[in-house]
Amino acid sequence: MNAKSSPLAIVPALVLALLLIPIGVATLSLLGTALDWKGGWWSHSLEPLQSASGSFEAVLNTPGFWTSAGLSYWIGILTALISLTIVMLFIATFLSSGWFVWIWGIMKPVLAVPHAVAAFGLLFLIAPSGFLIRLVSPELSGFERPPDWLVVNDPAGLSLALGLILKEIPFLFFVTMAALPQTDFRRTRIAASMGYGRIWSWFLSVFPGVYLQIRLPVFAVIAFASSTIDVALILGPVAPPTLSVRILHWMNDPDLSMRTTAAAGAIIQVAITLLAVLTWWAGEYLVLNLGRMAALRGWRFKRDKFLRFLSSLLMATSVLVVSVGLVLLALWSFAGVWRFPDALPRVWTLRSWSAEASNLWATGVRATIIALGAATLSLALVLASLENEYRSNRRATRLAWWTIYVPLLVPQIAFVGGLSVLFIRFSIDGTLWAVILVHMIFTYPYIYLTLSDPWNTFDTRYLSVARSLGKSMNRAFWTIRLPILLRPVLAAFALGFAVSIAQYLPTLLIGAGRQPTLTTEAIALASGGNRRVIGTYALVQTLLPLIVFALANLVPKLLWANRAGLQVRSVE
Amino acid sequence: MTDPTKKPTPAGLQLDNVEIFQGPRKLLGMHAIIGPGEILTLMGASGSGKSTLISAIAGFLPRSFSCTGNILLNGQSITSLPAEKRRVGVLFQDPLLFPHFSVLQNILFALPPGGKMAERCDKARSLLHDISMGEFADRDPDTLSGGQKARVALARVIASRPNALLLDEPFSKLDADLRDSMRQLVSAEVTRRKIPTLLVTHDKADAIAIDGPVLTL
Amino acid sequence: MHLSAIRSFVVNIVHLARYFLISAALVFFVSPAIAAEHNPDPADWDSVLAEAKGQEVFWHAWGGAQNINAYIAWVGRQVQSRYGVKLTQVKVSDTANVVARVLAEQQAGRNEGGAVDLVWINGQNFSAMKHQGLLLPYAWSTSLPNYALTDFENKPVLTSDFTEPVQGLESPWGTAQLTFYYDSANLASPPKNLEDLESWIRENPGRFTYAAPPNFIGTTFLKQVLYGLIEDRELLFSTPDRQTFEAATAPLWAWLDKIHPDLWRSGKVFAADTTHLKTLLSDNEIDIAMTFNPGEASSAINEGLLPQTTRSFVMDYGSIGNAHFVAIPFNANARAGAMVVANFLLSPEAQARKSDEEIWGDPTVLAMSKLNAEQRRYFSELTSGAATLDAAELGATLSEPDAFWSTALDAEWLRRYGGQ
């Protein structure tokens, strides 16, 4: 087999160019701004604003800096720890049960809900003036006014972590599901037959293998949680906020000399994220050794009934909270007067919808075009990458995996600003294509991540059969592999679509105001704090990816209605 | 007209000093000629490289292996041809029917291109009829029994009109009572169509039932 | 390796990357045609109108209020039908994003064809753009035909934006004054001086808060309190040394220390901005909110966001006032079109519509005395809601202190309360 002449061979270079060059150049420009190098292309005409050491000093001397930095660090670890624990306990408990597939079916749509939407839903639910308190007020609670409770925006960031966990649970569930087929979980039964508790059997026999495969996604969760901006603005602490929000404030400070502070802050943000990941790494060793010790001593941990109950309770609650949040957003979008302590709006109106109808349509159509473009192109590139791996008989190396994860591991705020200068420099900002290109930096990794496992577990003997029947490699790809893998391919496409729809910062900066999408418009309108408008936009923002997810689910079902071998079966 | 200066081209599958290496380590070597309609049985324990030999002949040798020597089919060297141009059919342990095609579509996929659709369908149906699977043409392959799947897989590989056939333990996953009838069916089809065939197996019963020359690794 | 060596290594890499990218760009992207520099002169208004016809103006304006967005959409329809100018509002969540955008274009060397044609701006953002050379660098606003109708002689806020001289670099659009509002059904008589406010907060713990500085309404609240406590108000228009600053602000911090334990959420959390304050009042979480728009309470009533019983008040020692403007960036693409829009915004018809509380309720910048009878009729038809204070009730306007004070107060506030 000679793959050298294949046009697919340039795919790895293309991917590198897509993922690493923009981030590399943008990071260097960030360093340039923070350290104030003169004469670089990033400082075309800008006079030095602050001395190099000054910018870092300014960050470190900011009042409450250590609290902010500590928050970012703590939120990253806390979010990953809790969501991973819940997902793992749940899978350990229910893997062999029938309604596992059913729960998974409910879980998938939650993936489509943008982070900010889930956060708003949570806010409307648990705030002291929120739905839960309203339900019991004033009759049960006696509250005529909302209680002065510190529930959201708490200084420790617990509500922020909660908002993130709601969204990270389905994500980790998703990647774990992708990893499961490669693990032989009959081992659980062997352990169980030796008298080990159900959950403990799973942790001893299956978890290590699964965890190795979902480790990078877990790191991505840490990175995302420690550097999130939108969720932190909605649910996070205020005085002081997390580091990422402070960077945003510095970037937006009218005093332009604060830009260098912001750049230095962004570099420190990367360091904090890295520190959180390193801490996690150290924690892995600790858990490994503790687990090994317990296993070698033969502890059985049979009494895990409560833990099993707790895991299902938490899982069900997380889905329920997001769903109720969405319902509340829907209620707000139709609400006229709705004051505390009314549980439901006193007046219903279509005003929010009619006032925003044309705008929703225009920005919704553009968001759809961009998301379709970014997801389609990324999918094509991912398929080419995977096919190239197969044909050249080389699996992605560890280094390649890390490369693919770079856009998910480096905080967006650290490099998107530099990227926008790059785009302006080449006068390609403000165009639809530029926005699609930038979205691809984020859709590619997610699509690759979702698709690579089903792709690689595919029985390639099917392709051998096709070729021995006289069909070419390309023919085998189009007529055999792609149709058989249609379901995971479309699922990956839907995830890419959802990722693109939710992009805010890249769309704003690269779009130059010429390409307003649903999300940029939603954030601009949300700055007015009008819950009715927030509800309206949040619903459409959720609906678009949901439709695509539903289609991705439905199309293979209809197309392969009479093909039992292609239907989802419960994990045996 | 034949060229008198040339030796008459030997029909069948010819393995001319074929040696397979994994890195520097030699896995196996083989020198054999399999005539049309003949079934050569190659016996060997698992791990002896039987399946790798099949990959080498069919053209899917993984990169970590290398192959020296020459493979000829009806006198033409196919050693450097890509798999799809070798016209060497393979039957694996598993039937590997394409799950997104119906039984008939699986056969149609294998038929060499050309001809009107109606004619192709007739051909495919008659092939299915030959193996008593005529009434299953429109079925979803996933709903067939193990023995039925194996027969469709055989019909499919026959449909592609291979110049040689490689059988990689094709009976090992079948129930004992099905195994015998499948062996007979394969043997009958191969003889009838005069296809040189290489069977690799670790099961002595296969060799005895096929009743052809046997090589042991 | 020495640090300098690392640095020069990285710089080299950057330069390599730069050349690679630039050459790549030359291959892949056609360079945009650079238009000849054109600086329309509003004194020759006819030629401005002629140039503006057919232009598309991208107006970057805060998009957080539906009523304002609707008003801007109306402006867009008017300038389209009257002058053939297409107006597109780019809704932004924070004007600083726009400053960042223009700055990025300046850094990247784009001196023509910028993304921003017009920006809604004031205060520190204006000051920053002015000093960084991000604005169209000549006095254009004062030559707009409708500028003559503005009350620039009597309203210093129109010529001095947060003490920064306007110098014709931005065109006035509306005025603002720090105004408090409350639900009269919950609160019979609101506290109108600092003493009363302090004792009211202590008697009603958890019912008052302000926005955390550096949010501008939070900073303004600090300045408003400082005005009431400082001995020498003249000091506010100078740049004092550290010692003087500390002495002058000591009463402010003492006052805040006294009220903080009794604030909403015990002073552990503050509001984010004016809209958050409005939401908190609407949810009955607090009793008093503040805003820069004296018409805010009335228009919120009209929108159904606040109860009919909402009323406004100001501090009895005067309140901080300012104005907001529109400006044209140095590299704007549709400069003439932007000027036509700015001029239309100053027309009596547009100004009257803006001050209509059914529409927006933002006070006009025009002088009634300069309008003819027909122009005045636009305004006389307006009625104002019960929640809006009239000019007499609004009381004295306190000028914005020197820009130094905002920065210094923000930093000191963050040091004291921002890192608990």
Side-chain angles (χ1 to χ4, degrees):
Chain A
M1 231 184 317
N2 187 1
K4 269 175 202 157
S5 57
S6 160
L8 281 179
I10 69 157
V11 168
L14 266 178
V15 172
L16 274 180
L18 175 70
L19 300 184
L20 285 190
I21 291 184
I23 292 177
V25 174
T27 309
L28 286 175
S29 86
L30 186 78
L31 276 170
T33 313
L35 301 179
D36 185 33
W37 296 326
K38 289 156 208 157
W41 56 267
W42 55 83
S43 58
H44 180 71
S45 62
L46 192 68
E47 282 303 302
L49 297 165
Q50 207 168 7
S51 72
S53 57
S55 58
F56 284 98
E57 235 166 69
V59 175
L60 297 177
N61 289 337
T62 309
F65 162 77
W66 292 107
T67 318
S68 297
L71 271 172
S72 291
Y73 172 80
W74 145 255
I75 299 289
I77 292 181
L78 184 71
T79 304
L81 188 63
I82 294 184
S83 29
L84 182 68
T85 307
I86 293 179
V87 170
M88 287 301 138
L89 284 181
F90 182 80
I91 293 182
T93 308
F94 288 104
L95 187 60
S96 41
S97 101
W99 62 292
F100 184 82
V101 175
W102 187 74
I103 276 279
W104 174 224
I106 303 185
M107 208 75 200
K108 263 193 282 188
V110 180
L111 268 177
V113 182
H115 277 88
V117 172
F120 272 122
L122 183 68
L123 178 72
F124 294 173
L125 183 67
I126 64 165
S129 57
F131 186 69
L132 283 182
I133 303 278
R134 284 171 192 243
L135 265 186
V136 296
S137 298
E139 295 82 5
L140 292 175
S141 65
F143 294 136
E144 292 289 344
R145 297 165 160 191
D148 189 12
W149 293 343
L150 193 57
V151 181
V152 289
N153 310 112
D154 59 295
L158 295 178
S159 54
L160 167 59
L162 183 61
L164 288 164
I165 289 166
L166 288 179
K167 273 292 295 169
E168 300 311 336
I169 285 179
F171 174 66
L172 288 178
F173 203 147
F174 193 69
V175 293
T176 310
M177 288 299 284
L180 276 181
Q182 300 187 32
T183 324
D184 188 356
F185 26 85
R186 278 171 302 187
R187 280 178 286 182
T188 319
R189 293 182 198 153
I190 295 169
S193 69
M194 295 174 184
Y196 285 89
R198 203 195 291 181
I199 290 181
W200 187 235
S201 306
W202 154 272
F203 272 92
L204 287 184
S205 56
V206 180
F207 174 74
V210 169
Y211 180 72
L212 266 187
Q213 288 190 59
I214 62 166
R215 197 166 172 220
L216 275 171
V218 170
F219 289 172
V221 167
I222 298 175
F224 181 84
S226 78
S227 64
T228 176
I229 292 179
D230 48 358
V231 183
L233 283 173
I234 298 164
L235 295 170
V238 179
T242 60
L243 186 58
S244 52
V245 171
R246 292 204 125 168
I247 297 169
L248 185 75
H249 287 160
W250 287 326
M251 278 186 173
N252 288 348
D253 199 294
D255 179 359
L256 296 181
S257 71
M258 295 301 277
R259 302 295 142 115
T260 54
T261 310
I267 291 167
I268 294 175
Q269 170 77 64
V270 176
I272 301 274
T273 300
L274 202 65
L275 194 64
V277 170
L278 284 176
T279 310
W280 185 271
W281 208 323
E284 286 175 0
Y285 277 97
L286 191 71
V287 171
L288 179 74
N289 284 319
L290 284 179
R292 189 175 286 161
M293 187 197 78
L296 295 184
R297 298 202 170 184
W299 296 347
R300 292 316 200 239
F301 296 106
K302 263 189 206 171
R303 288 190 202 159
D304 56 5
K305 211 170 194 172
F306 173 71
L307 214 53
R308 274 159 31 196
F309 170 74
L310 189 71
S311 75
S312 33
L313 184 74
L314 289 176
M315 196 61 135
T317 310
S318 83
V319 179
L320 194 68
V321 166
V322 177
S323 322
V324 173
L326 285 176
V327 172
L328 288 178
L329 286 163
L331 287 182
W332 272 109
S333 76
F334 293 108
V337 177
W338 190 9
R339 307 204 66 208
F340 193 86
D342 300 338
L344 287 175
R346 200 164 280 180
V347 180
W348 299 88
T349 169
L350 280 172
R351 190 166 150 172
S352 311
W353 288 96
S354 58
E356 294 295 331
S358 66
N359 206 20
L360 277 170
W361 174 254
T363 56
V365 166
R366 185 179 287 107
T368 308
I369 292 173
I370 290 172
L372 285 179
T376 309
L377 290 174
S378 303
L379 180 65
L381 203 53
V382 167
L383 289 176
S385 308
L386 291 169
E387 187 66 8
N388 182 50
E389 282 171 29
Y390 163 68
R391 292 192 189 180
S392 61
N393 199 21
R394 280 195 201 112
R395 290 285 287 273
T397 58
R398 272 172 84 89
L399 190 68
W401 273 100
W402 280 95
T403 310
I404 289 162
Y405 267 93
V406 161
L408 309 189
L409 293 174
V410 182
Q412 268 195 7
I413 194 161
F415 72 92
V416 176
L419 208 55
S420 82
V421 178
L422 191 72
F423 274 68
I424 297 170
R425 187 80 179 157
F426 297 133
S427 290
I428 50 168
D429 59 313
T431 61
L432 201 67
W433 284 109
V435 177
I436 290 177
L437 190 67
V438 152
H439 280 201
M440 281 176 68
I441 297 177
F442 303 98
T443 50
Y444 179 87
Y446 277 106
I447 293 182
Y448 186 92
L449 160 71
T450 331
L451 202 51
S452 68
D453 281 318
W455 197 266
N456 289 328
T457 45
F458 178 82
D459 190 343
T460 52
R461 288 179 307 168
Y462 281 119
L463 304 176
S464 302
V465 168
R467 296 192 60 212
S468 73
L469 296 175
K471 312 296 174 186
S472 68
M473 286 263 218
N474 289 338
R475 188 91 194 273
F477 171 83
W478 290 109
T479 56
I480 304 298
R481 195 171 208 169
L482 207 54
I484 294 181
L485 289 173
L486 187 65
R487 175 181 297 278
V489 164
L490 290 181
F493 176 84
L495 186 70
F497 183 90
V499 166
S500 166
I501 288 284
Q503 292 302 318
Y504 171 64
L505 213 52
T507 319
L508 180 77
L509 294 182
I510 307 299
R514 299 285 196 269
Q515 307 295 340
T517 65
L518 213 48
T519 297
T520 60
E521 204 74 353
I523 302 265
L525 283 158
S527 69
N530 184 339
R531 290 172 186 163
R532 290 149 187 88
V533 189
I534 291 172
T536 314
Y537 275 83
L539 272 196
V540 183
Q541 256 183 300
T542 308
L543 211 60
L544 278 182
L546 262 187
I547 292 172
V548 176
F549 266 99
L551 283 178
N553 211 14
L554 203 65
V555 166
K557 236 179 220 158
L558 292 179
L559 214 53
W560 308 138
N562 298 319
R563 296 290 176 261
L566 293 170
Q567 299 305 326
V568 206
R569 281 175 257 205
S570 64
V571 192
E572 288 113 29
Chain B
M1 235 192 340
T2 49
D3 186 344
T5 59
K6 261 193 175 175
K7 276 190 281 179
T9 49
L13 177 64
Q14 184 181 354
L15 302 179
D16 193 3
N17 282 320
V18 170
E19 292 188 324
I20 293 176
F21 296 86
Q22 181 170 30
R25 189 169 74 94
K26 181 176 157 186
L27 268 185
L28 59 87
M30 199 164 162
H31 187 82
I33 296 177
I34 308 169
E38 185 184 9
I39 303 180
L40 171 67
T41 304
L42 182 63
M43 296 279 303
S46 51
S48 58
K50 308 183 302 276
S51 297
T52 315
L53 178 68
I54 294 232
S55 305
I57 301 171
F60 334 111
L61 195 65
R63 278 219 169 168
S64 47
F65 296 90
S66 56
C67 175
T68 61
N70 204 0
I71 304 165
L72 298 121
L73 195 48
N74 297 336
Q76 304 285 321
S77 170
I78 59 167
T79 320
S80 55
L81 286 179
E84 62 266 27
K85 298 218 170 115
R86 295 190 178 195
R87 305 202 63 178
V88 174
V90 186
L91 269 187
F92 291 98
Q93 244 176 357
D94 299 297
L96 294 170
L97 298 182
F98 301 128
H100 57 306
F101 289 154
S102 69
V103 169
L104 186 73
Q105 285 166 337
N106 263 281
I107 309 290
L108 284 171
F109 181 82
L111 281 176
K116 283 186 187 145
M117 201 55 207
E119 291 168 18
R120 292 172 65 80
C121 282
D122 288 345
K123 259 187 222 168
R125 278 182 200 281
S126 80
L127 274 166
L128 284 173
H129 192 77
D130 288 352
I131 54 157
S132 344
M133 290 294 293
E135 71 262 46
F136 294 92
D138 296 318
R139 285 278 287 272
D140 172 8
D142 208 59
T143 61
L144 301 183
S145 73
Q148 291 168 332
K149 282 182 189 168
R151 273 186 284 164
V152 175
L154 176 68
R156 182 174 65 179
V157 74
I158 300 280
S160 71
R161 292 206 208 117
N163 290 338
L165 189 57
L166 309 174
L167 309 176
D168 189 359
E169 310 229 13
F171 316 119
S172 64
K173 283 199 176 168
L174 293 173
D175 292 342
D177 49 335
L178 281 173
R179 226 174 268 175
D180 225 35
S181 62
M182 193 63 199
R183 284 180 191 130
Q184 282 168 18
L185 185 62
V186 168
S187 161
E189 286 294 323
V190 162
T191 319
R192 186 155 75 93
R193 293 169 200 273
K194 301 213 180 316
I195 306 172
T197 300
L198 173 67
L199 166 69
V200 304
T201 180
H202 68 275
D203 186 354
K204 271 207 178 103
D206 285 345
I208 295 165
I210 293 295
D211 191 26
V214 178
L215 269 172
T216 306
L217 279 175
Chain C
M1 224 175 358
H2 289 291
L3 194 66
S4 60
I6 297 175
R7 199 167 133 160
S8 72
F9 171 74
V10 178
V11 169
N12 280 330
I13 298 270
V14 174
H15 278 287
L16 269 179
R18 178 187 172 183
Y19 289 124
F20 168 74
L21 284 165
I22 288 177
S23 47
L26 286 177
V27 175
F28 287 111
F29 311 109
V30 186
S31 320
I34 305 288
E37 194 159 305
H38 59 292
N39 288 323
D41 178 13
D44 181 6
W45 192 242
D46 286 339
S47 72
V48 171
L49 283 178
E51 193 184 333
K53 198 160 187 166
Q55 283 187 332
E56 180 168 13
V57 174
F58 287 90
W59 182 6
H60 290 237
W62 181 71
Q66 275 179 307
N67 56 344
I68 300 177
N69 294 340
Y71 174 78
I72 291 176
W74 172 82
V75 172
R77 289 192 295 276
Q78 299 308 312
V79 294
Q80 175 73 65
S81 65
R82 295 178 197 201
Y83 311 108
V85 172
K86 184 171 186 226
L87 180 65
T88 304
Q89 182 194 4
V90 176
K91 300 189 187 78
V92 297
S93 57
D94 189 331
T95 304
N97 290 337
V98 187
V99 183
R101 170 81 210 173
V102 181
L103 180 68
E105 291 184 350
Q106 188 193 45
Q107 279 176 291
R110 183 185 291 176
N111 297 323
E112 287 289 331
V116 185
D117 294 313
L118 194 65
V119 53
W120 182 13
I121 199 169
N122 75 350
Q124 285 169 299
N125 285 319
F126 168 67
S127 168
M129 286 192 87
K130 181 178 167 188
H131 291 293
Q132 192 60 43
L134 298 176
L135 294 174
L136 199 60
Y138 59 92
W140 56 271
S141 71
T142 42
S143 315
L144 293 176
N146 284 335
Y147 185 80
L149 301 176
T150 64
D151 199 8
F152 59 88
E153 297 95 336
N154 300 312
K155 285 190 175 136
V157 291
L158 300 187
T159 48
S160 164
D161 184 358
F162 284 61
T163 70
E164 182 69 51
V166 171
Q167 296 170 330
L169 298 177
E170 55 179 358
S171 171
W173 190 20
T175 58
Q177 193 166 339
L178 183 65
T179 310
F180 298 83
Y181 56 102
Y182 64 103
D183 184 354
S184 60
N186 287 339
L187 182 63
S189 60
K192 293 186 178 173
N193 60 53
L194 295 179
E195 236 169 77
D196 289 353
L197 182 60
E198 180 196 329
S199 50
W200 182 86
I201 290 170
R202 291 181 146 192
E203 284 157 22
N204 300 278
R207 305 299 299 172
F208 183 85
T209 191
Y210 56 97
N215 177 273
F216 80 106
I217 196 82
T219 312
T220 306
F221 179 69
L222 297 187
K223 288 186 272 192
Q224 175 75 31
V225 174
L226 185 60
Y227 250 114
L229 296 172
I230 200 166
E231 283 178 18
D232 178 12
R233 286 189 178 182
E234 282 308 304
L235 205 56
L236 294 174
F237 302 98
S238 65
T239 315
D241 59 26
R242 180 85 206 156
Q243 223 173 353
T244 321
F245 173 77
E246 275 172 15
T249 55
L252 168 68
W253 309 120
W255 192 85
L256 290 177
D257 285 340
K258 276 186 284 181
I259 64 159
H260 270 197
D262 291 322
L263 290 184
W264 176 75
R265 306 280 187 264
S266 310
K268 288 199 175 84
V269 177
F270 293 84
D273 47 30
T274 47
T275 49
H276 191 195
L277 285 165
K278 180 158 76 175
T279 309
L280 288 175
L281 186 80
S282 157
D283 282 344
N284 212 347
E285 291 222 26
I286 56 173
D287 282 333
I288 298 173
M290 56 190 102
T291 172
F292 250 129
N293 175 4
E296 173 119 23
S298 291
S299 49
I301 294 174
N302 288 337
E303 279 187 81
L305 299 175
L306 292 177
Q308 296 288 342
T309 42
T310 307
R311 294 292 177 272
S312 301
F313 71 98
V314 290
M315 290 286 135
D316 59 11
Y317 58 91
S319 33
I320 289 183
N322 59 42
H324 48 97
F325 302 81
V326 290
I328 304 176
F330 77 105
N331 62 353
N333 189 42
R335 297 171 193 183
M339 286 176 188
V340 168
V341 173
N343 187 56
F344 178 74
L345 291 176
L346 287 176
S347 69
E349 187 183 354
Q351 284 280 315
R353 190 179 170 89
K354 182 167 67 76
S355 35
D356 185 349
E357 283 164 5
E358 300 277 331
I359 308 284
W360 178 359
D362 189 57
T364 181
V365 293
L366 301 185
M368 289 304 130
S369 57
K370 292 179 177 176
L371 305 184
N372 61 34
E374 195 189 336
Q375 291 169 326
R376 218 171 293 165
R377 212 172 42 236
Y378 287 119
F379 288 90
S380 57
E381 283 166 2
L382 299 178
T383 54
S384 68
T388 310
L389 304 173
D390 61 33
E393 288 169 319
L394 271 175
T397 306
L398 303 173
S399 304
E400 282 284 352
D402 187 275
F404 159 83
W405 289 86
S406 299
T407 318
L409 287 174
D410 286 351
E412 185 63 16
W413 188 91
L414 279 170
R415 196 182 68 74
R416 284 169 180 265
Y417 310 112
Q420 294 146 337

